[in-house]
Amino acid sequence: MKKVLVAAMMAGVMTVAMAAPVAAADAWNPTSAISMVLPAGAGGDTDLTARTFAQYAKELTGVDFVVVNASGAAGSVAANQVLNSAADGYTVLFGHSLVNVANVAGVTDYNYTAFKLGPTFAKNPAQQFYVNPEVYGSLDEFIEAAKANPGQLKACTEVGAYTYYELLLFEKVAGIDLDLIDVGSNADKITAMLSKQVDLMPGAYLNAKDYVESGKFLCLGAPTEERYDLIADIPTLKEQGIDMTYPDLDYSFYFPAETPDEVIAWFDDVTKQLVEQDEVKEALANLTVMPYYLTSEESVENDAAAFETFKSIADSLEG
């Protein structure tokens, strides 16, 4: 752990100081607040993961991080805001593969290569599928109902976004035809499920956990290669006979293309220190999110692989 606690007892009062990252003379050192622009609304997995970073990064560095929610248009509202910002390190996109999915879907004419990538901070397992347990008791029951009523069962998504291709792939692998309804943000998806406007919702466990525990939602399974420890009770789709895996959500920083290397190096250092802290690990675990550090160079490779994965999914669906 690189967070250094310096304690001094004075008049019976404990004072604690946090050590900022050690910087070379020519290194970048922010002198004002940094805006973290999110392609997501407040209260969801992306938002809460960003706020976790913001909280602990301020404790480490003394710098304020302001979370700016800018959902809409498959993430392109937030992405365009950052691309049109000054390349000075004070405005950064924080998110996952939305920029790549939006490009594959034709929503934008750019992908990750339009940005200068920073480090990756965390990983969220690929979004799971949820239904109303009063209607469907298992994955098999849902698939049987979908096959008996082609095009009738409704699934909520945001066209051109991460869940859109997830549902298209599910349809193909399961041999079903769903009615995909564009309802908007994570909060809107929850509302659509609770009001029984839709039959199926893809979502992160963090967003659905309370409803699962209260018996309002049932999780059908996760499109992951194997079970993750943080959601160990949730079966994969593969172990239930549906041979489908989908990319996880890796939360990274995306900067305007001309951002100086010194800025990226500062974010690399801060992020690396944070993911090594037990407090950060615990805070992320409470969100059902895992610390997952990649350097800026590794993040580029990771996004390149993600883009090719989404492109191959789209190509296979067209075939």
Side-chain angles (χ1 to χ4, degrees):
M1 181 185 298
K2 295 186 178 180
K3 183 171 72 175
V4 180
L5 300 181
V6 181
M9 295 298 297
M10 297 180 61
V13 178
M14 176 76 78
T15 61
V16 181
M18 307 299 293
V22 177
D26 60 347
W28 183 70
N29 285 292
T31 56
S32 61
I34 295 172
S35 294
M36 295 174 62
V37 183
L38 311 187
D45 52 302
T46 302
D47 177 74
L48 294 177
T49 302
R51 292 180 190 277
T52 298
F53 180 93
Q55 174 189 340
Y56 288 97
K58 180 176 182 179
E59 291 182 9
L60 178 66
T61 68
V63 177
D64 285 315
F65 291 79
V66 180
V67 174
V68 180
N69 299 102
S71 60
S76 61
V77 171
N80 290 335
Q81 182 175 329
V82 172
L83 286 174
N84 293 324
S85 298
D88 56 10
Y90 291 100
T91 303
V92 58
L93 180 71
F94 180 84
H96 49 78
S97 289
L98 278 174
V99 292
N100 294 316
V101 181
N103 177 249
V104 170
V107 176
T108 65
D109 60 0
Y110 59 82
N111 62 7
Y112 73 98
T113 59
F115 298 85
K116 190 167 189 175
L117 264 72
T120 298
F121 171 60
K123 176 187 286 291
N124 204 353
Q127 294 195 358
Q128 306 90 50
F129 292 132
Y130 296 89
V131 295
N132 183 339
E134 295 178 359
V135 182
Y136 310 103
S138 67
L139 177 63
D140 286 342
E141 283 187 23
F142 179 83
I143 292 175
E144 289 174 6
K147 288 181 177 179
N149 302 277
Q152 299 301 307
L153 302 192
K154 294 177 171 58
C156 56
T157 185
E158 183 179 358
V159 173
Y162 174 89
T163 57
Y164 181 63
Y165 280 103
E166 181 179 22
L167 288 168
L168 291 177
L169 184 60
F170 179 52
E171 285 183 313
K172 180 176 181 179
V173 175
I176 58 178
D177 178 23
L178 302 172
D179 182 10
L180 305 188
I181 307 296
D182 191 332
V183 301
S185 69
N186 287 325
D188 296 324
K189 293 182 179 74
I190 294 288
T191 299
M193 275 290 292
L194 291 173
S195 61
K196 301 181 181 178
Q197 297 175 47
V198 296
D199 299 278
L200 180 72
M201 182 192 79
Y205 188 68
L206 169 66
N207 302 332
K209 178 182 178 181
D210 290 345
Y211 303 101
V212 171
E213 292 177 349
S214 67
K216 294 179 180 178
F217 290 177
L218 171 68
C219 184
L220 297 181
T224 53
E225 187 65 34
E226 55 188 20
R227 295 194 189 195
Y228 281 98
D229 289 342
L230 291 175
I231 52 172
D233 293 336
I234 296 176
T236 67
L237 298 182
K238 292 187 72 171
E239 65 187 82
Q240 299 179 81
I242 301 299
D243 190 12
M244 171 182 166
T245 57
Y246 199 64
D248 293 328
L249 301 169
D250 297 335
Y251 298 106
S252 305
F253 292 94
Y254 300 76
F255 296 85
E258 301 303 317
T259 300
D261 291 341
E262 292 79 9
V263 171
I264 307 300
W266 187 87
F267 272 85
D268 263 329
D269 185 43
V270 170
T271 303
K272 185 174 188 297
Q273 292 190 59
L274 291 184
V275 299
E276 293 173 349
Q277 293 181 6
D278 290 339
E279 301 96 318
V280 174
K281 294 176 183 178
E282 182 178 355
L284 290 175
N286 289 336
L287 302 177
T288 328
V289 174
M290 297 166 283
Y292 184 62
Y293 172 68
L294 297 177
T295 66
S296 53
E297 292 84 0
E298 291 168 336
S299 292
V300 172
E301 296 175 0
N302 193 50
D303 258 54
F307 175 71
E308 290 303 322
T309 296
F310 285 114
K311 189 173 183 302
S312 66
I313 290 172
D315 291 345
S316 71
L317 294 172
E318 293 175 359

